[in-house]
Amino acid sequence: MPETTVSVTKSMTTNPDGDDYHRKQYRTTIPKDLAEFFDMDRETTLEWSIGGASNKLEITIHDNGEE
C-alpha cells in the first residue's frame, strides 16, 4: 500500500478585538490507486473517526454526487 505524508500549515490572524489567533491546519493526500478504486471526485467526502484499537483510523467514504 502506498504511503502519504502529513503537512502542517501554521498561521496567525489578529481578531477585531486585537487578540492574536493561532491556527494550525493539517493536510494529506490520498493514494491515486485508492481514489480510482473508490471512484472519488470533487463530490466525495471522507468521514474520519478513531477506532477502538491504538493507532487505528477509520475512514468512511461518502459519494455525495450519487442520487
Side-chain angles (χ1 to χ4, degrees):
M1 179 66 67
E3 293 183 2
T4 61
T5 58
V6 176
S7 62
V8 180
T9 303
K10 298 177 185 178
S11 62
M12 183 183 71
T13 304
T14 303
N15 292 335
D17 59 5
D19 294 333
D20 289 336
Y21 173 73
H22 296 272
R23 179 178 174 171
K24 193 184 281 190
Q25 184 174 12
Y26 300 86
R27 183 178 303 232
T28 190
T29 58
I30 297 171
K32 181 181 177 189
D33 294 347
L34 287 176
E36 289 176 347
F37 179 81
F38 288 107
D39 196 26
M40 293 182 182
D41 59 18
R42 288 189 163 273
E43 301 297 320
T44 304
T45 58
L46 303 176
E47 179 183 339
W48 304 75
S49 60
I50 298 172
S54 177
N55 292 328
K56 182 177 178 183
L57 174 67
E58 297 175 351
I59 302 172
T60 304
I61 301 167
H62 299 281
D63 185 1
N64 296 324
E66 233 178 57
E67 293 187 22

